[in-house]
Amino acid sequence: MESTTEAVRRSLRAGQIVAFTGAGISAESHVPTFRGVDGLWRNYSPERLATAEAFASDPRLVWEWYDWRRQIIHKAQPNSGHQALAEIERRATGSFTLVTQNVDGLHDRAGSRNVVKLHGDIWWVRCTGCAAEEQNQQVPLKPLPPHCHCGALLRPAVVWFGEALPESAWERAHEAATQADVFMAIGTSAQVYPAAGLVQVARQSGAHVAIVNPDPTPADELAEWVLRGPAGEILPRLL
Ligand code: APR
């Protein structure tokens, strides 16, 4: 009897593969998740820190929080889960698309190439006046809040609650999900839409759906394969 890990590993040998990741894949790099035991939203209020309204009312507070997260991520290293996905991409004979909800940039640092960032990137800033975007890897950020050359406030180039996802990223992610032969949802609680809806899109388009997560998620019922455990342990076994 073939094991679930074996079945998933075999399915990755050909065809169109999509890896859909969430904060859980960075947990073993000591980057806090959002809804886990010590998750960010357990200790901080998303309404006060991750909305346009919060930024408008107190940009310094919001930037102090993002600067704190940048300092944590700056010290973090990609783990064996990130590295395994980069290797699966290198070995892929068909297409491989990595759709991430993460803003930490650890997939890039692990060497992943075809990465779609649905929720933006914490290492980029956008001007609230002239809309210019630029990479900013200054740690710690000084001064806070940062300003653009045009004089207007800069904001983190991430997607806040109540904001639309970047159109081109969403289109690429949705297209990849409809074309997928294998769709792996890794380290996501699958609760935040529209991103979480990609699992259903892939399933309805005929993809084999695999879940990698130590805990149950609402997407488990859509999955053919559920691999219960930390991504850093499970993903290397798929090589
Ligand atoms: N390996 C795999 N999964 C893990 C690990 C691990 N080592 N540790 C925890 N997990 C799982 C948790 O069980 C949980 O299901 O990762 C998931 C993390 O869920 P969330 O914290 O809700 O993160 P995510 O799904 O990425 O959140 C989606 O919500 O707050 C917004 O914009 C933010 O992108 C984020 C979005």
Side-chain angles (χ1 to χ4, degrees):
M1 174 69 179
E2 184 180 48
S3 73
T4 308
T5 304
E6 264 306 311
V8 178
R9 183 165 55 193
R10 200 158 50 76
S11 76
L12 297 174
R13 291 207 189 115
Q16 313 219 24
I17 302 166
V18 175
F20 173 55
T21 65
I25 196 168
S26 297
E28 292 152 271
S29 299
H30 311 295
V31 176
T33 67
F34 294 93
R35 294 169 190 82
V37 177
D38 297 321
L40 292 170
W41 299 148
R42 303 262 170 163
N43 306 309
Y44 303 94
S45 118
E47 293 75 27
R48 288 199 60 216
L49 294 164
T51 63
E53 295 72 30
F55 187 73
S57 68
D58 194 342
R60 187 185 173 84
L61 176 72
V62 171
W63 264 119
E64 278 170 358
W65 190 65
Y66 276 92
D67 187 41
W68 170 73
R69 287 179 61 195
R70 286 162 56 112
Q71 293 182 44
I72 290 172
I73 296 166
H74 179 69
K75 290 191 210 108
Q77 294 300 326
N79 61 56
S80 50
H82 297 106
Q83 286 150 1
L85 287 182
E87 184 58 25
I88 291 170
E89 179 179 13
R90 276 188 289 272
R91 296 182 186 183
T93 53
S95 74
F96 180 96
T97 308
L98 201 165
V99 176
T100 190
Q101 298 167 87
N102 301 348
V103 297
D104 58 27
L106 290 178
H107 285 304
D108 306 322
R109 287 169 56 192
S112 288
R113 301 198 174 300
N114 188 17
V115 180
V116 180
K117 298 176 182 174
L118 287 179
H119 295 161
D121 189 324
I122 206 167
W123 299 112
W124 281 70
V125 295
R126 185 166 64 243
C127 178
T128 57
C130 69
E133 285 207 2
E134 64 183 20
Q135 194 167 36
N136 177 312
Q137 296 182 317
Q138 189 195 18
V139 175
L141 260 177
K142 282 200 178 82
L144 280 183
H147 286 75
C148 177
H149 312 298
C150 76
L153 259 180
L154 289 170
R155 57 162 283 174
V158 299
V159 177
W160 283 328
F161 290 101
E163 294 187 323
L165 274 57
E167 208 173 320
S168 64
W170 177 247
E171 278 165 14
R172 280 178 63 199
H174 194 274
E175 177 63 15
T178 56
Q179 301 300 324
D181 296 302
V182 180
F183 185 97
M184 294 191 287
I186 303 156
T188 180
S189 60
Q191 295 177 35
V192 176
Y193 285 75
L198 290 170
V199 187
Q200 179 88 350
V201 169
R203 171 68 191 276
Q204 282 173 346
S205 310
H208 297 284
V209 173
I211 303 272
V212 177
N213 198 312
D215 303 315
T217 78
D220 291 10
E221 61 190 40
L222 299 169
E224 188 171 336
W225 302 300
V226 174
L227 297 169
R228 212 33 96 228
E233 287 174 24
I234 289 184
L235 292 175
R237 293 184 202 142
L238 302 179
L239 293 172

